[in-house]
Amino acid sequence: MAANEHGGKLLEVSGLTMDFGGLRAIDDVGLDIFAGEIVALIGPNGAGKTTFFNCVTGIYEPTLGEVRIHPPGGASRRINGMKPNRITALGMARTFQNIRLFPAMTVLENVMIGRHCRTSTSIVDAILGSRKAAREEQECVEKSYQLLKKVGLAEVAGEFSRNLAYGAQRRLEIARALATDPFLLLLDEPAAGMNPQETHELDALITRIRDEEKVAILLIEHDMKLVMNISDRIYVMEYGKKIAQGTPQEIKENPKVIEAYLGEEAHA
């Protein structure tokens, strides 16, 4: 689907530039995401993809450029320099390349932590065990359990997260990000370390999240089969610059992209 066949614009990044000392890691990169889209950001190792994510989600403040979100039904706002937890509360959630679960907590508790930015119970309510606190806790448990069902982990809700297989830990991270009720979900290498069967299940899960939860998705991914299968549009970076954007078919046939990836394959 072309971008204009989707809903309104959700994320607008323009002129994004990030310098670390004398090194320019990202150079004048722009990107838009519309409601209902799955968009992939690809490129050889060291292209600047994770740095781009870190700038968009508040981990780094970009040197130049603008990151703007347009929450559905809410006011458009510039989020450069905002703290990551504030950005999450505004409706943009992410997962990380290196899994960041709480290993000594259960699978269900890991998802419940994601719900905390959506609860309004005060510490006083919690200490006094007010009716409001009890109701919110119950809603939190129910919502978290529903998300575990969605990602196929309901049967292991009481297990410690460290005991899960690698692919299941990745799905748990996605469930925890969804628990924040995002309108936009950023996935950093979700298929990393997965076997072909797990990748195939992830492919179906990401599409289902977009369709059922009405969440737009931006993903960084090295698995080209997954990218080509599920993306509406693809942006390609190399050496911190955007070198191409388009549909999977356009990207597959783009000489600049072929050249960038042939170089990587030669070193693989």
Side-chain angles (χ1 to χ4, degrees):
M1 279 187 275
N4 58 7
E5 290 170 28
H6 293 273
K9 194 179 284 187
L10 299 177
L11 176 68
E12 189 175 3
V13 180
S14 52
L16 192 79
T17 299
M18 184 74 211
D19 294 335
F20 295 104
L23 172 74
R24 179 148 288 187
I26 302 179
D27 189 1
D28 192 24
V29 173
L31 173 149
D32 295 326
I33 296 176
F34 294 81
E37 281 194 305
I38 296 175
V39 175
L41 179 62
I42 67 169
N45 283 328
K49 303 180 298 291
T50 293
T51 302
F52 180 89
F53 258 32
N54 287 342
C55 288
V56 168
T57 56
I59 290 169
Y60 301 149
E61 184 169 356
T63 310
L64 294 167
E66 185 166 78
V67 183
R68 194 166 267 285
I69 56 169
H70 306 275
S76 149
R77 54 201 306 175
R78 184 178 192 268
I79 59 171
N80 301 43
M82 268 189 197
K83 294 272 185 290
N85 60 324
R86 181 88 188 94
I87 291 173
T88 304
L90 289 172
M92 191 158 66
R94 77 171 285 184
T95 64
F96 290 85
Q97 208 169 333
N98 307 316
I99 292 174
R100 297 191 180 186
L101 296 170
F102 294 96
M105 285 185 173
T106 67
V107 167
L108 182 65
E109 286 166 344
N110 265 278
V111 181
M112 287 173 68
I113 279 187
R115 284 298 299 158
H116 275 306
C117 76
R118 295 290 170 237
T119 56
S120 58
T121 307
S122 69
I123 289 184
V124 175
D125 284 328
I127 291 168
L128 297 178
S130 73
R131 204 173 270 169
K132 181 187 176 195
R135 190 177 66 244
E136 280 206 335
E137 184 73 5
Q138 188 53 38
E139 283 169 4
C140 181
V141 169
E142 284 166 13
K143 168 84 178 174
S144 300
Y145 189 73
Q146 288 307 314
L147 285 168
L148 287 177
K149 273 169 98 166
K150 191 167 288 293
V151 301
L153 295 174
E155 291 76 46
V156 292
E159 274 280 349
F160 287 123
S161 70
R162 62 167 174 254
N163 296 338
L164 295 185
Y166 188 83
Q169 288 190 8
R170 285 263 174 218
R171 294 206 307 278
L172 177 54
E173 252 212 330
I174 292 171
R176 187 176 64 187
L178 285 173
T180 66
D181 280 345
F183 62 84
L184 178 59
L185 178 62
L186 281 69
L187 304 175
D188 191 351
E189 300 261 5
M194 286 189 172
N195 63 41
Q197 178 57 32
E198 288 171 330
T199 304
H200 179 67
E201 288 166 7
L202 179 72
D203 180 327
L205 174 63
I206 293 171
T207 308
R208 211 166 72 239
I209 288 167
R210 187 263 309 268
D211 296 343
E212 293 175 10
E213 302 293 308
K214 306 293 181 236
V215 175
I217 292 160
L218 172 62
L219 71 147
I220 293 173
E221 188 47 73
H222 268 108
D223 189 308
M224 281 305 116
K225 191 166 168 235
L226 182 138
V227 166
M228 294 297 169
N229 272 348
I230 66 174
S231 304
D232 295 301
R233 293 187 302 121
I234 299 171
Y235 287 87
V236 189
M237 286 178 71
E238 188 185 26
Y239 302 121
K241 291 179 187 288
K242 181 172 77 180
I243 60 166
Q245 68 183 79
T247 64
Q249 196 54 44
E250 287 165 347
I251 292 302
K252 225 181 264 187
E253 294 163 0
N254 186 307
K256 273 187 176 171
V257 177
I258 293 164
E259 193 183 335
Y261 274 96
L262 281 176
E264 185 167 73
E265 278 171 19
H267 295 111

